[in-house]
Amino acid sequence: MGSDNLCIKRESIVVCDLSATIDHCPTVIEESLCGLQYKTPYFKASAQIVMPPVPRNETWVVGWIQACTHKEYYNTYGDVGMSSWELPQLREGLVQAISDSDGVSYPWYGNTTETVTIVGPTSKPSRFIVSMNDSFSSHVTWTLWISGSNTPLLTNIKRDQSFTTWLVALNTTSREKILLHTIKWRMRVDIAVEPSLPLGSRARLVGRVHQDQPRVLTQIEPIPPNAMRGPNANEVQVLMWRPRRGPPVVVIPPK
């Protein structure tokens, strides 16, 4: 976890001051007439890169690639049932990971602070920082749209997601890929709700208050093919309704 002030060198690329943390603060809950909003602390990663001179006709991009490797996300409505955001391919073990790219900058997590592009020729080494952050912010309704009633029924929100994040240098011409670091992290949310209480006092965090800190692996993991291309997790996720009695229903299909 945390910050690594040592420099490592991989195939003449130097990485210094690698940092991977999750903010040491609890998930924040806000209640409104429409429902419950929660926001988790941020996962943050950054590193300083020293890139050797790049020859003519070569372009390199250095940055962060992230994939979701596990997702459980259930909103329970008493003994009626639960809604669930799911990644079917991941749930059924058909793939190891699904890209968590912004959906535009494949394979990169994003294209602002997350990547730097070096276009050759450069006569001297290039120094720069690449950084990224990620958190969950979600809104969950008190009532059950399927019942047609305005009675608050929400009793629990449980979310548990795992990610692998790679620091990568990619030659855009030859597609040569140099993996510089692998980080693993997990975010968990567990909120108990008492729907009969007055608005503003229904929800409370249960279980752990703070998240486990990310792990910087000593061995670099290969990137699964699905982490390098679309579709991303937002495009393939499905909202299911899983009633206590009766078959599950697809509420929102994949995009």
Side-chain angles (χ1 to χ4, degrees):
M1 66 147 273
S3 180
D4 180 358
N5 295 317
L6 300 172
C7 294
I8 60 122
K9 191 171 185 180
R10 298 200 201 281
E11 300 189 36
S12 75
I13 300 171
V14 178
V15 182
C16 297
D17 298 333
L18 177 78
S19 172
T21 59
I22 293 178
D23 288 345
H24 194 70
C25 59
T27 293
V28 175
I29 305 170
E30 288 183 9
E31 298 182 23
S32 69
L33 283 171
C34 301
L36 179 157
Q37 177 99 18
Y38 68 83
K39 185 163 178 58
T40 67
Y42 278 97
F43 162 76
K44 296 173 180 172
S46 71
Q48 180 175 303
I49 310 293
V50 184
M51 194 79 181
V54 172
R56 187 181 305 280
N57 299 329
E58 279 193 18
T59 299
W60 285 82
V61 181
V62 181
W64 300 100
I65 294 172
Q66 181 164 284
C68 179
T69 56
H70 178 81
K71 179 169 186 169
E72 293 175 59
Y73 183 6
Y74 304 110
N75 302 316
T76 303
Y77 290 85
D79 58 5
V80 184
M82 62 186 185
S83 62
S84 172
W85 285 102
E86 301 176 13
L87 299 170
Q89 290 178 301
L90 209 53
R91 183 190 68 212
E92 289 155 25
L94 300 176
V95 296
Q96 287 177 280
I98 291 175
S99 168
D100 197 33
S101 164
D102 61 7
V104 178
S105 317
Y106 289 111
W108 309 104
Y109 180 73
N111 65 359
T112 53
T113 63
E114 297 88 356
T115 59
V116 168
T117 302
I118 308 293
V119 181
T122 55
S123 57
K124 57 183 193 292
S126 310
R127 288 176 176 269
F128 51 87
I129 290 171
V130 284
S131 64
M132 65 164 283
N133 63 59
D134 192 8
S135 69
F136 305 154
S137 181
S138 279
H139 182 271
V140 184
T141 57
W142 302 118
T143 59
L144 202 51
W145 70 96
I146 242 159
S147 71
S149 159
N150 286 331
T151 309
L153 293 171
L154 180 69
T155 50
N156 186 258
I157 297 167
K158 195 167 278 218
R159 188 166 181 174
D160 185 352
Q161 274 181 256
S162 297
F163 299 88
T164 306
T165 309
W166 292 268
L167 181 59
V168 180
L170 182 67
N171 182 323
T172 61
T173 317
S174 70
R175 307 308 290 176
E176 178 191 356
K177 196 163 67 235
I178 300 172
L179 306 185
L180 304 170
H181 273 294
T182 308
I183 298 163
K184 290 200 175 275
W185 62 281
R186 178 181 187 182
M187 195 79 82
R188 285 179 272 191
V189 176
D190 196 350
I191 299 170
V193 180
E194 183 43 74
S196 61
L197 289 177
L199 187 64
S201 59
R202 292 173 183 168
R204 62 187 173 86
L205 279 182
V206 291
R208 61 185 51 238
V209 175
H210 298 112
Q211 306 292 330
D212 291 338
Q213 287 299 308
R215 292 183 299 128
V216 178
L217 303 193
T218 51
Q219 299 289 317
I220 293 178
E221 279 195 2
I223 305 182
N226 285 71
M228 291 292 294
R229 59 173 185 251
N232 69 6
N234 285 338
E235 291 168 332
V236 298
Q237 69 178 356
V238 174
L239 180 61
M240 300 293 296
W241 168 245
R242 297 187 174 278
R244 183 62 61 88
R245 295 177 195 82
V249 179
V250 176
V251 180
I252 300 176
K255 290 177 182 172

